[in-house]
Amino acid sequence: MEPRLRAQVIEYLSKKGYNRTEAMLRNESATQDAEGRPLGNRAEDGGGSKYGKGFELTRVWIEDNLEIYKPELRRLLWPLFVYSFLGVISEFYIKEGQDFFNAFRKHFEDEHPDDLRALAPIALPEHVENSQIGKIYRNNKYRVRLSSVAFFNLVQHLESKEKFGGSVMMMILQTHLNIVTVERAADDNLSLAKMLGRAKVTEDFPAEDEGIPGHNAGSANTDRHTTSNILTRLKLGPLPMEPELLDDVQAELEEEDVRNPPVEGQHSLVQEFAHIKREESEDAPNRTDIPVPPSKVRDVVMEVQKVKENRDRFRIEGRTGGVGPAVSVVMFTFHNTYDNINCIDISGDNLLIAAGMQDHYIQVWSLKGEALASPFPNVPPEPSRKLIGHSGPVYNVSFSPSIAGLKEPSSGYTKTTSTGPQYLLSGSMDRTVRLWDLELWQCLVVYKGHDGPVWDIQWGPYGHYFLTGSRDRTARLWSQDQIVYLRMFAGHEQDVDCVAFHPNSAYVFTGSSDRNVRMWQVTNGVPVRLFTGHAGNLTALACSPTGKILASADDQGTIILWDLGPGKLLKRMRGHAKGGIWSLSWSAESTVIASCGQDGTVRVWDVAEPSNALGQGKVVGDGVAGTTKIDAGAPTAQSSTAGGTKKKGKDTVVTADQIGAFPTKKSPVYKVKFTRMNLVVASGAYMP
């Protein structure tokens, strides 16, 4: 209220005899500025020091609070720190601003190192107005979700300490923060059990539902300027089959049932196909939006084999007596590599394995130990094939989709119909992607477009399309029959380190060194989800076969599961040591996930929430040099030493979600994969 208008109102109230109202209005006006915001007490909090006093007051109160409220209240400290720093600099208190920044930055170096680096050069009000980081924070409200009890206690405390800096913090909360209060019963993440569980965790992870949308920590909504939390509706159902292909597969399955009737208690192939066939639905993308080449005989044979394997697979139904399913792992280890292998991929029919080398070439072997035939009649078979063409180290390889062939091909299809991989893709430091023919063992196409090394490359689930991620901070969608990319996905602030397709090919995922995961729509290249919450660089992505859940892993040893529809974090899983989780793979039922990494282990995880999720287990020997394991069955976390010797470094905490760990001697595991029969295949290189 302007001073002149305020004087007129007070004069009117005095004439009408409202003396008490006049006194209340004067008292209220004395603590507000012209825009109605609360003023700090100038006597107690004068100058730039008021921000430091108010922030320290709030920080100490939060750290002394009840354990169940600490995790959510701590989420307020970062925005209070940023807006306090920007505020004190904007008011020309340069020295006080630098002292404030240096005094409190240590509390946020693990979680917000990038933003701290961007804030550090700010020393003048002009920097606040013109810097990108200043514009992002001052032009947007920072969203934080709190339980109503925690928020009420915070406000009550700040009001009681108004003269000691509380009013400054209240001003920041009202002006720059969007605090969403939620009752415990309305949100399972704020239930007493969840809050008690988080209180036992020492790591300070970013929350997935906080911050400024589109910038680091934030919700799944990618629009920073939106005023609504409504997300883009996703079509996560399977891509409908081509009508002609559907009819051909149905007819072939009927013939196969007549030729080989199912045993007692077993579904027929036609019955099995009725449960898994892909038809038009509201939840499925339109087939015309994702054009693919017409189906061939090979496609029919592959679909028939998929139905057989889906029926005859080893079924993973979940935990058995709290121990977990008896998953088997087959490990292929390379020896005498001298740290020359950068990446490994295993073909879908489990017959070929390819390794990308530091020495600029790719080498392919048969997993059966058989020699690989030459396309030329006078050239004898060789134990392996070397593919030479790149002018830099090869960082990723990917086999085109394939499946194990039919043991007894139907009468309509001859044994010459191959269902093995036809092509191999490779990405390199030389900024190119190469397409290799696995019959001719020759390079067919060189794709150019990236402005940096190609870190990751993945085929689409139906072939034809593939996705690449690069140091140039972009991911690109390609078609194997065109040398120019079809889509560019730009939005990450650092390298795109890992990429993945959604099972229906309508969406793609990108993981970056900026610690964010983005989900993009293929048809228009628009981002539809932003997932934040990792405390390290992204190293692996994998979407579940159902298309509902995304798994992402980082170099801090954490796996996060995301519910794609609402864009919410489901849970975190810990067990790997730091250094990188390099590969993720889902079981056919989407109930179990396998992971592997630099710590030399393959680990199997339960997707469902365990009954003893609050227990952290005890530390026991894991058999891997430099790492330890926690027994998920134990109720508490305890540090111990194997054989009475002192361990080096920090213990690796294993959450109760882990249902199996398979350590190697000294072999970092580059690739892990669930087959369609639910056997786990992995590969790594022995490092003596």
Side-chain angles (χ1 to χ4, degrees):
M1 186 181 296
E2 296 181 359
R4 183 178 178 182
L5 180 59
R6 186 186 301 119
Q8 293 176 350
V9 172
I10 292 175
E11 182 181 357
Y12 172 79
L13 293 174
S14 179
K15 289 181 179 180
K16 295 294 184 180
Y18 296 109
N19 297 324
R20 185 177 179 184
T21 305
E22 175 188 350
M24 293 175 62
L25 183 59
R26 288 185 181 277
N27 183 54
E28 182 180 345
S29 301
T31 61
Q32 293 182 349
D33 60 13
E35 297 180 3
R37 294 178 299 188
L39 294 171
N41 190 303
R42 301 301 178 184
E44 301 291 336
D45 298 304
S49 63
K50 61 178 180 285
Y51 289 98
K53 293 179 181 179
F55 182 81
E56 179 65 10
L57 171 79
T58 308
R59 190 189 68 81
V60 171
W61 178 79
I62 290 176
E63 294 302 327
D64 292 340
N65 215 301
L66 294 176
E67 292 294 330
I68 61 172
Y69 297 124
K70 275 187 184 180
E72 57 177 319
L73 287 171
R74 281 173 176 161
R75 314 313 308 167
L76 288 169
L77 292 178
W78 170 250
L80 290 177
F81 169 81
V82 173
Y83 289 114
S84 295
F85 173 65
L86 296 177
V88 70
I89 294 295
S90 298
E91 295 179 13
F92 291 91
Y93 295 110
I94 309 303
K95 183 180 183 305
E96 290 85 347
Q98 295 302 318
D99 292 342
F100 175 88
F101 186 81
N102 295 328
F104 298 111
R105 66 174 298 171
K106 61 185 178 182
H107 301 293
F108 311 102
E109 288 177 344
D110 292 336
E111 186 176 341
H112 300 280
D114 298 329
D115 279 5
L116 284 174
R117 281 194 294 269
L119 289 168
I122 295 178
L124 296 171
E126 292 80 3
H127 299 165
V128 176
E129 297 294 332
N130 300 326
S131 65
Q132 182 181 5
I133 190 73
K135 291 179 180 178
I136 288 175
Y137 277 95
R138 290 180 65 87
N139 296 337
N140 300 277
K141 285 197 172 186
Y142 194 101
R143 180 173 54 248
V144 179
R145 186 176 57 172
L146 296 176
S147 64
S148 55
V149 175
F151 180 65
F152 174 78
N153 291 338
L154 172 67
V155 173
Q156 191 176 42
H157 171 73
L158 294 178
E159 289 180 345
S160 66
K161 300 293 183 179
E162 179 181 357
K163 295 183 178 181
F164 303 98
S167 60
V168 180
M169 295 298 103
M170 280 295 296
M171 182 269 291
I172 294 177
L173 292 178
Q174 294 176 5
T175 308
H176 299 293
L177 270 68
N178 175 20
I179 298 180
V180 180
T181 58
V182 183
E183 297 293 336
R184 285 185 186 176
D187 192 331
D188 183 60
N189 286 323
L190 295 176
S191 65
L192 183 59
K194 288 278 189 179
M195 296 168 75
L196 286 172
R198 287 196 296 269
K200 296 182 179 181
V201 179
T202 58
E203 295 88 347
D204 192 19
F205 292 116
E208 82 283 0
D209 191 26
E210 71 167 44
I212 297 172
H215 174 73
N216 292 339
S219 75
N221 198 327
T222 60
D223 186 2
R224 182 181 299 155
H225 305 291
T226 185
T227 58
S228 172
N229 289 329
I230 299 176
L231 302 178
T232 304
R233 183 178 181 274
L234 303 179
K235 294 187 176 182
L236 303 177
L239 184 70
M241 293 180 69
E242 183 182 351
E244 293 79 4
L245 177 61
L246 185 66
D247 295 339
D248 290 343
V249 173
Q250 183 80 23
E252 181 61 23
L253 292 175
E254 291 174 356
E255 292 183 14
E256 184 67 21
D257 280 334
V258 172
R259 221 171 9 253
N260 298 304
V263 299
E264 184 179 354
Q266 187 182 50
H267 286 168
S268 68
L269 293 176
V270 174
Q271 290 173 328
E272 189 71 24
F273 185 56
H275 289 94
I276 65 173
K277 65 181 178 181
R278 309 187 302 273
E279 297 181 308
E280 296 281 351
S281 68
E282 293 184 358
D283 192 38
N286 195 326
R287 188 173 181 83
T288 58
D289 294 336
I290 310 173
V292 294
S295 59
K296 302 178 181 179
V297 172
R298 168 188 166 91
D299 299 310
V300 178
V301 177
M302 290 182 67
E303 291 295 334
V304 170
Q305 182 65 7
K306 287 178 183 179
V307 176
K308 284 190 172 184
E309 292 188 350
N310 190 75
R311 182 191 66 178
D312 301 334
R313 73 183 189 277
F314 169 70
R315 298 183 181 273
I316 301 178
E317 304 296 344
R319 290 175 173 254
T320 55
V323 178
V327 177
S328 298
V329 179
V330 177
M331 178 73 182
F332 296 92
T333 304
F334 289 89
H335 291 266
N336 303 319
T337 63
Y338 305 105
D339 203 16
N340 192 37
I341 293 181
N342 288 334
C343 56
I344 294 173
D345 193 30
I346 301 170
S347 63
D349 61 355
N350 307 308
L351 295 180
L352 297 177
I353 186 169
M357 304 295 184
Q358 185 71 17
D359 291 339
H360 309 180
Y361 66 90
I362 303 113
Q363 197 149 358
V364 184
W365 294 265
S366 167
L367 288 177
K368 287 187 173 182
E370 301 173 348
L372 299 177
S374 170
F376 307 106
N378 298 327
V379 179
E382 298 180 9
S384 65
R385 289 286 174 179
K386 186 178 289 187
L387 306 177
I388 301 175
H390 284 292
S391 59
V394 179
Y395 290 130
N396 214 282
V397 291
S398 180
F399 283 105
S400 61
S402 60
I403 195 170
L406 292 170
K407 295 181 179 179
E408 299 179 0
S410 303
S411 57
Y413 307 102
T414 66
K415 294 184 179 181
T416 59
T417 303
S418 171
T419 58
Q422 296 176 310
Y423 307 107
L424 178 72
L425 286 167
S426 59
S428 169
M429 170 72 86
D430 62 13
R431 306 180 182 184
T432 67
V433 176
R434 289 178 176 261
L435 179 70
W436 306 87
D437 189 298
L438 297 182
E439 290 185 1
L440 301 175
W441 303 106
Q442 296 291 328
C443 178
L444 299 180
V445 187
V446 179
Y447 303 95
K448 299 180 179 180
H450 280 294
D451 193 27
V454 181
W455 298 134
D456 197 14
I457 187 168
Q458 293 292 329
W459 279 99
Y462 306 108
H464 190 63
Y465 298 106
F466 61 92
L467 184 66
T468 57
S470 170
R471 185 180 178 181
D472 62 10
R473 305 181 183 182
T474 69
R476 307 190 188 209
L477 180 72
W478 309 75
S479 172
Q480 69 181 57
D481 59 354
Q482 298 185 36
I483 62 172
V484 180
Y485 59 87
L486 306 178
R487 292 280 187 275
M488 178 192 293
F489 306 105
H492 285 289
E493 298 176 0
Q494 294 187 32
D495 301 21
V496 177
D497 297 315
C498 49
V499 296
F501 270 90
H502 189 273
N504 65 14
S505 279
Y507 305 97
V508 295
F509 305 94
T510 56
S512 170
S513 300
D514 64 10
R515 305 183 180 184
N516 294 336
V517 179
R518 290 178 180 264
M519 181 179 183
W520 311 79
Q521 191 165 340
V522 167
T523 54
N524 54 19
V526 172
V528 292
R529 293 288 187 274
L530 170 65
F531 301 107
T532 65
H534 279 282
N537 302 334
L538 272 296
T539 54
L541 297 171
C543 190
S544 66
T546 61
K548 307 295 184 183
I549 303 174
L550 175 70
S552 58
D554 60 35
D555 59 5
Q556 300 299 305
T558 301
I559 302 172
I560 299 182
L561 301 183
W562 309 92
D563 190 347
L564 295 179
K568 295 294 184 180
L569 182 150
L570 293 178
K571 65 175 179 178
R572 301 177 191 272
M573 301 185 294
R574 293 294 306 273
H576 284 280
K578 292 184 179 181
I581 298 173
W582 293 339
S583 182
L584 298 169
S585 183
W586 290 82
S587 66
E589 299 86 355
S590 300
T591 57
V592 171
I593 189 168
S595 62
C596 67
Q598 186 177 342
D599 64 355
T601 65
V602 175
R603 298 176 186 265
V604 182
W605 309 86
D606 195 351
V607 173
E609 189 75 21
S611 58
N612 59 340
L614 297 181
Q616 294 296 323
K618 64 179 181 180
V619 180
V620 296
D622 195 24
V624 184
T627 65
T628 56
K629 172 188 172 183
I630 287 188
D631 180 7
T636 58
Q638 304 172 5
S639 295
S640 65
T641 56
T645 60
K646 185 177 180 180
K647 294 194 300 296
K648 298 180 180 180
K650 294 182 178 180
D651 295 332
T652 300
V653 177
V654 179
T655 57
D657 314 275
Q658 179 177 297
I659 51 180
F662 302 85
T664 62
K665 189 176 181 181
K666 289 184 179 180
S667 301
V669 188
Y670 293 79
K671 182 71 176 181
V672 66
K673 188 187 76 167
F674 264 104
T675 69
R676 294 183 181 275
M677 300 295 286
N678 275 339
L679 172 70
V680 179
V681 183
S683 183
Y686 179 65
M687 299 291 182

PDB file of all heavy atoms in Angstrom, residues 33-46:
ATOM      1  N   ASP A  33       7.058  -3.888   3.246  1.00  0.00           N
ATOM      2  CA  ASP A  33       7.520  -2.895   2.299  1.00  0.00           C
ATOM      3  C   ASP A  33       6.358  -2.451   1.419  1.00  0.00           C
ATOM      4  O   ASP A  33       5.202  -2.802   1.657  1.00  0.00           O
ATOM      5  CB  ASP A  33       8.673  -3.448   1.448  1.00  0.00           C
ATOM      6  CG  ASP A  33       8.272  -4.675   0.653  1.00  0.00           C
ATOM      7  OD1 ASP A  33       7.051  -4.964   0.565  1.00  0.00           O
ATOM      8  OD2 ASP A  33       9.164  -5.354   0.113  1.00  0.00           O
ATOM      9  N   ALA A  34       6.647  -1.671   0.360  1.00  0.00           N
ATOM     10  CA  ALA A  34       5.594  -1.122  -0.491  1.00  0.00           C
ATOM     11  C   ALA A  34       4.823  -2.201  -1.229  1.00  0.00           C
ATOM     12  O   ALA A  34       3.682  -1.987  -1.632  1.00  0.00           O
ATOM     13  CB  ALA A  34       6.206  -0.138  -1.493  1.00  0.00           C
ATOM     14  N   GLU A  35       5.436  -3.379  -1.425  1.00  0.00           N
ATOM     15  CA  GLU A  35       4.763  -4.462  -2.138  1.00  0.00           C
ATOM     16  C   GLU A  35       4.125  -5.469  -1.198  1.00  0.00           C
ATOM     17  O   GLU A  35       3.661  -6.519  -1.627  1.00  0.00           O
ATOM     18  CB  GLU A  35       5.765  -5.175  -3.047  1.00  0.00           C
ATOM     19  CG  GLU A  35       6.339  -4.259  -4.128  1.00  0.00           C
ATOM     20  CD  GLU A  35       7.328  -4.986  -5.014  1.00  0.00           C
ATOM     21  OE1 GLU A  35       7.519  -6.205  -4.807  1.00  0.00           O
ATOM     22  OE2 GLU A  35       7.887  -4.345  -5.908  1.00  0.00           O
ATOM     23  N   GLY A  36       4.111  -5.153   0.091  1.00  0.00           N
ATOM     24  CA  GLY A  36       3.455  -6.032   1.043  1.00  0.00           C
ATOM     25  C   GLY A  36       4.314  -7.162   1.547  1.00  0.00           C
ATOM     26  O   GLY A  36       3.830  -8.053   2.241  1.00  0.00           O
ATOM     27  N   ARG A  37       5.621  -7.168   1.237  1.00  0.00           N
ATOM     28  CA  ARG A  37       6.497  -8.234   1.697  1.00  0.00           C
ATOM     29  C   ARG A  37       7.047  -7.884   3.068  1.00  0.00           C
ATOM     30  O   ARG A  37       7.294  -6.716   3.370  1.00  0.00           O
ATOM     31  CB  ARG A  37       7.645  -8.435   0.707  1.00  0.00           C
ATOM     32  CG  ARG A  37       7.195  -8.937  -0.649  1.00  0.00           C
ATOM     33  CD  ARG A  37       8.366  -9.077  -1.605  1.00  0.00           C
ATOM     34  NE  ARG A  37       9.012  -7.773  -1.816  1.00  0.00           N
ATOM     35  CZ  ARG A  37       9.965  -7.573  -2.715  1.00  0.00           C
ATOM     36  NH1 ARG A  37      10.388  -8.575  -3.465  1.00  0.00           N
ATOM     37  NH2 ARG A  37      10.499  -6.374  -2.858  1.00  0.00           N
ATOM     38  N   PRO A  38       7.298  -8.874   3.922  1.00  0.00           N
ATOM     39  CA  PRO A  38       7.797  -8.585   5.271  1.00  0.00           C
ATOM     40  C   PRO A  38       9.214  -8.036   5.229  1.00  0.00           C
ATOM     41  O   PRO A  38      10.034  -8.448   4.417  1.00  0.00           O
ATOM     42  CB  PRO A  38       7.763  -9.952   5.965  1.00  0.00           C
ATOM     43  CG  PRO A  38       7.805 -10.939   4.857  1.00  0.00           C
ATOM     44  CD  PRO A  38       7.084 -10.306   3.716  1.00  0.00           C
ATOM     45  N   LEU A  39       9.486  -7.068   6.113  1.00  0.00           N
ATOM     46  CA  LEU A  39      10.813  -6.470   6.215  1.00  0.00           C
ATOM     47  C   LEU A  39      11.580  -7.101   7.362  1.00  0.00           C
ATOM     48  O   LEU A  39      11.002  -7.515   8.368  1.00  0.00           O
ATOM     49  CB  LEU A  39      10.702  -4.960   6.474  1.00  0.00           C
ATOM     50  CG  LEU A  39      10.100  -4.107   5.353  1.00  0.00           C
ATOM     51  CD1 LEU A  39       9.882  -2.705   5.875  1.00  0.00           C
ATOM     52  CD2 LEU A  39      11.018  -4.104   4.142  1.00  0.00           C
ATOM     53  N   GLY A  40      12.905  -7.223   7.181  1.00  0.00           N
ATOM     54  CA  GLY A  40      13.730  -7.675   8.278  1.00  0.00           C
ATOM     55  C   GLY A  40      13.811  -6.604   9.352  1.00  0.00           C
ATOM     56  O   GLY A  40      13.666  -5.416   9.080  1.00  0.00           O
ATOM     57  N   ASN A  41      14.047  -7.020  10.558  1.00  0.00           N
ATOM     58  CA  ASN A  41      14.181  -6.076  11.653  1.00  0.00           C
ATOM     59  C   ASN A  41      15.513  -5.344  11.508  1.00  0.00           C
ATOM     60  O   ASN A  41      16.577  -5.919  11.662  1.00  0.00           O
ATOM     61  CB  ASN A  41      14.143  -6.830  12.994  1.00  0.00           C
ATOM     62  CG  ASN A  41      14.027  -5.880  14.156  1.00  0.00           C
ATOM     63  OD1 ASN A  41      14.848  -4.992  14.325  1.00  0.00           O
ATOM     64  ND2 ASN A  41      13.002  -6.086  14.955  1.00  0.00           N
ATOM     65  N   ARG A  42      15.483  -4.087  11.156  1.00  0.00           N
ATOM     66  CA  ARG A  42      16.689  -3.353  10.820  1.00  0.00           C
ATOM     67  C   ARG A  42      17.614  -3.193  12.032  1.00  0.00           C
ATOM     68  O   ARG A  42      18.804  -3.077  11.878  1.00  0.00           O
ATOM     69  CB  ARG A  42      16.321  -1.966  10.279  1.00  0.00           C
ATOM     70  CG  ARG A  42      15.449  -2.005   9.041  1.00  0.00           C
ATOM     71  CD  ARG A  42      16.111  -2.754   7.902  1.00  0.00           C
ATOM     72  NE  ARG A  42      15.261  -2.840   6.739  1.00  0.00           N
ATOM     73  CZ  ARG A  42      15.575  -3.501   5.639  1.00  0.00           C
ATOM     74  NH1 ARG A  42      16.703  -4.160   5.576  1.00  0.00           N
ATOM     75  NH2 ARG A  42      14.749  -3.529   4.615  1.00  0.00           N
ATOM     76  N   ALA A  43      17.052  -3.188  13.214  1.00  0.00           N
ATOM     77  CA  ALA A  43      17.908  -3.020  14.384  1.00  0.00           C
ATOM     78  C   ALA A  43      18.748  -4.264  14.628  1.00  0.00           C
ATOM     79  O   ALA A  43      19.923  -4.188  14.962  1.00  0.00           O
ATOM     80  CB  ALA A  43      17.056  -2.707  15.621  1.00  0.00           C
ATOM     81  N   GLU A  44      18.159  -5.429  14.478  1.00  0.00           N
ATOM     82  CA  GLU A  44      18.842  -6.671  14.788  1.00  0.00           C
ATOM     83  C   GLU A  44      19.543  -7.276  13.570  1.00  0.00           C
ATOM     84  O   GLU A  44      20.572  -7.908  13.690  1.00  0.00           O
ATOM     85  CB  GLU A  44      17.836  -7.695  15.349  1.00  0.00           C
ATOM     86  CG  GLU A  44      17.125  -7.220  16.610  1.00  0.00           C
ATOM     87  CD  GLU A  44      18.087  -7.153  17.787  1.00  0.00           C
ATOM     88  OE1 GLU A  44      19.096  -7.861  17.757  1.00  0.00           O
ATOM     89  OE2 GLU A  44      17.820  -6.377  18.709  1.00  0.00           O
ATOM     90  N   ASP A  45      18.943  -7.101  12.391  1.00  0.00           N
ATOM     91  CA  ASP A  45      19.444  -7.776  11.188  1.00  0.00           C
ATOM     92  C   ASP A  45      19.841  -6.766  10.129  1.00  0.00           C
ATOM     93  O   ASP A  45      19.648  -6.987   8.940  1.00  0.00           O
ATOM     94  CB  ASP A  45      18.374  -8.715  10.626  1.00  0.00           C
ATOM     95  CG  ASP A  45      18.023  -9.809  11.616  1.00  0.00           C
ATOM     96  OD1 ASP A  45      18.938 -10.518  12.035  1.00  0.00           O
ATOM     97  OD2 ASP A  45      16.828  -9.941  11.949  1.00  0.00           O
ATOM     98  N   GLY A  46      20.373  -5.631  10.499  1.00  0.00           N
ATOM     99  CA  GLY A  46      20.724  -4.611   9.530  1.00  0.00           C
ATOM    100  C   GLY A  46      21.877  -5.040   8.643  1.00  0.00           C
ATOM    101  O   GLY A  46      22.703  -5.857   9.008  1.00  0.00           O
TER     102      GLY A  46
END
